[in-house]
């Protein structure tokens, strides 16, 4: 991993759900920090496993430093700094509006508007855009040497690739322009078509939605250029040579298919691919039959039969996993994926992260 991540400022971990992306992201960040770099790991996973693993009571929308003493006695020396945060999409979008608003009044007009309050929490893809917008903000701040992003499952992670273009397309769209500055026939249609509908709604609900919409789009008009500039900055960051995508997977059929699918999408978008991380891989080095005669002599026939059966099942899994790795090598172009074997238990603490770290970085150790 040191070789793959050399010179990288942004590392985005993507892949199917349940393959250990959060654990991998944390272990990668920990390893880079142990090498002396100032690293922030950003997760949008609602689970608390990352915070628990790092000994933090909770994570919020700003990076928190992990106490370096947490690693004392766990076999890893933290010569750099490790920071962690969990993305709050709504707060990130609010903060972005605050920075892009031309003045305090415009900021308050947007944030207090009921239309904005509903849209900011519900618009599809807002989480994905705000995640990379947060990455952009942290990257521009210069506070960190490396940023590691733990993404949602890969089909959703595709929204990270498309979000900047979708936002720019919306801001450049004719429908939005009609709302922002309706003229001629469009203005007459808007006035005639909406006045009756909204007057009925106002009588039924007591809410003047037309006024809310008017205020919202008028306020949004002052932010359009800023949002478009930010979207372009985000798109540039994703395609930057200092950014890399790692695809995290496991040998099961569905995660393998997802990994191949996402690799193709990265290629379609011209995004930098840093390689594969294969988690939970079964490996067995030994004779195909497990030497049942020697087992029977040592354990007795009954116990030896059980051990032989278990060994056979494990070997079948190892052969399946080897075939999955071979297929991924061929389909993704990564000839040397980083392999993390199946561990004895779930990773939920520093010792578990250190163990995963050892497999991720072991090949680069002197």
């Amino acid at each position: 991993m040191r070789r793959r991540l050399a010179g990288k400022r942004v590392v985005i971990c993507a892949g199917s759900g349940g393959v250990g992306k959060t654990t991998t992201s944390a272990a990668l960040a920990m390893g880079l920090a142990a090498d002396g770099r100032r690293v922030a790991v950003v997760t949008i996973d609602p689970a608390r496993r990352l915070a628990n693993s790092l000994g933090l009571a909770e994570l919020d929308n700003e990076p928190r430093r992990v106490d370096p003493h947490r690693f004392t006695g766990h076999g890893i020396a933290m010569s750099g700094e490790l920071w962690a945060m969990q993305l709050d999409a709504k707060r990130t979008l609010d903060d972005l509006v605050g920075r892009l608003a031309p003045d305090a009044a415009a900021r308050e007009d947007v944030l207090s508007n009921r239309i904005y309050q509903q849209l900011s929490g519900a618009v599809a893809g807002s989480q994905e855009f705000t995640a990379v917008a947060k990455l952009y903000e942290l990257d521009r701040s210069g506070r960190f040497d490396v940023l590691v992003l733990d993404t949602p499952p890969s089909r959703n992670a595709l929204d990270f690739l498309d979000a900047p273009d979708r936002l720019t397309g919306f801001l450049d769209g004719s429908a939005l322009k009609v709302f922002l500055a309706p003229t001629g026939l469009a203005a007459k249609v808007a006035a005639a078509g909406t006045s009756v509908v909204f007057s009925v709604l106002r009588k039924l609900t007591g809410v003047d939605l037309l006024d809310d919409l008017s205020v919202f789009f008028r306020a949004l008009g002052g932010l359009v250029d800023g949002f478009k500039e930010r979207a372009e900055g985000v798109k540039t960051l994703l395609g930057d040579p200092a950014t890399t995508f790692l695809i995290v997977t496991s040998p099961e059929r569905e995660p393998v298919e997802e990994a191949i699918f996402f690799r193709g999408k990265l290629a379609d978008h011209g995004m930098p691919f840093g390689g594969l991380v294969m988690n939970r891989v079964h490996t067995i080095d030994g004779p195909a039959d497990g030497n049942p005669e020697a087992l029977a002599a040592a354990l007795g026939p009954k116990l030896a039969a059980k051990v032989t059966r278990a060994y056979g099942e494990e070997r079948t899994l190892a052969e399946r996993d080897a075939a999955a790795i071979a297929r991924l090598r061929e389909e993704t172009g990564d000839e040397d994926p980083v392999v993390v074997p199946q561990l004895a238990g779930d990773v939920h603490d520093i010792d578990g992260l250190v163990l995963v770290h050892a497999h991720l970085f072991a090949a680069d150790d002197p």
Side-chain angles (χ1 to χ4, degrees):
M1 271 300 165
R2 289 184 182 90
R3 174 178 55 82
R4 291 173 183 260
L5 302 183
K8 303 301 181 184
R9 294 196 322 271
V10 177
V11 180
I12 301 175
C13 296
S16 182
V19 296
K21 285 193 308 296
T22 300
T23 298
T24 300
S25 300
L28 284 171
M30 185 179 70
L32 293 169
D35 286 347
R37 307 177 81 176
R38 200 165 195 245
V39 186
V41 56
V42 180
T43 181
I44 62 175
D45 187 345
R48 297 297 178 188
R49 290 174 53 200
L50 178 59
N52 294 338
S53 297
L54 299 175
L56 298 172
E58 61 180 7
L59 298 177
D60 56 25
N61 204 50
E62 290 301 322
R64 293 187 181 190
R65 187 178 180 186
V66 179
D67 184 353
H69 294 102
R70 282 281 303 165
F71 304 97
T72 303
H74 292 278
I76 190 166
M78 190 58 60
S79 59
E81 296 181 8
L82 178 60
W83 297 66
M85 64 161 284
Q86 180 172 331
L87 181 81
D88 182 332
K90 176 70 166 62
R91 181 176 164 189
T92 298
L93 192 57
D94 290 349
D95 291 344
L96 182 58
V97 167
R99 283 191 294 274
L100 297 180
D103 51 54
R107 173 185 177 278
E108 186 58 30
D109 281 346
V110 174
L111 296 182
S112 63
N113 184 267
R114 282 173 293 199
I115 303 297
Y116 169 79
Q117 290 170 2
Q118 292 296 318
L119 289 177
S120 61
V123 172
S126 64
Q127 186 183 58
E128 286 74 21
F129 177 75
T130 52
V132 285
K134 188 69 176 182
L135 273 186
Y136 178 81
E137 172 196 329
L138 293 172
D139 181 62
R140 290 288 297 271
S141 74
R143 294 170 57 193
F144 302 100
D145 300 319
V146 186
L147 301 167
V148 179
L149 175 66
D150 165 36
T151 69
S154 58
R155 300 278 171 165
N156 303 93
L158 293 176
D159 290 332
F160 285 94
L161 308 181
D162 297 328
D165 286 336
R166 287 206 317 273
L167 180 63
T168 302
F170 169 72
L171 296 174
D172 283 336
S174 58
L176 180 60
K177 292 176 181 177
V178 168
F179 273 107
L180 292 177
T183 58
L185 180 60
K188 294 178 182 179
V189 171
T194 59
S195 60
V196 174
V197 174
F198 285 114
S199 65
V200 172
L201 288 174
R202 183 170 59 250
K203 290 177 181 178
L204 292 175
T205 66
V207 175
D208 192 340
L209 292 179
L210 185 57
D211 183 61
D212 278 353
L213 280 171
S214 176
V215 171
F216 171 66
F217 283 110
R218 187 169 62 249
L220 183 64
L223 304 179
V224 167
D225 290 341
F227 268 113
K228 289 169 65 175
E229 181 180 345
R230 182 58 54 95
E232 286 303 314
V234 163
K235 186 175 181 180
T236 299
L237 176 65
L238 290 178
D240 194 295
T243 295
T244 191
F245 284 81
L246 295 178
I247 299 178
V248 183
T249 186
S250 67
E252 284 79 14
R253 183 184 64 81
E254 185 174 340
V256 167
E257 296 297 333
E258 287 288 300
I260 294 171
F261 172 79
F262 191 70
R263 174 66 183 102
K265 290 300 180 182
L266 285 177
D268 292 344
H269 286 74
M271 295 296 179
F273 172 55
L276 293 168
V277 176
M278 293 283 293
N279 281 332
R280 303 169 186 167
V281 175
H282 297 79
T283 58
I284 288 184
D285 293 322
D289 60 2
N291 199 347
E293 293 81 7
L295 284 173
L299 304 175
K302 189 173 182 179
L303 182 56
K306 291 182 179 180
V307 171
T308 299
R309 184 167 57 252
Y311 179 84
E313 292 171 353
E314 193 71 11
R315 189 169 190 87
T316 297
L317 289 174
E319 292 171 352
R320 178 208 66 179
D321 293 356
I325 292 174
R327 182 176 178 221
L328 282 167
R329 283 174 172 159
E330 180 180 355
E331 296 284 352
T332 67
D334 185 354
E335 291 296 327
D336 189 24
V338 178
V339 174
V340 179
Q342 176 71 47
L343 303 179
D346 187 33
V347 176
H348 60 275
D349 55 16
I350 293 293
D351 286 328
L353 285 180
V354 170
L355 185 57
V356 174
H357 160 270
H359 291 290
L360 291 173
F361 290 90
D364 296 319
D365 288 343

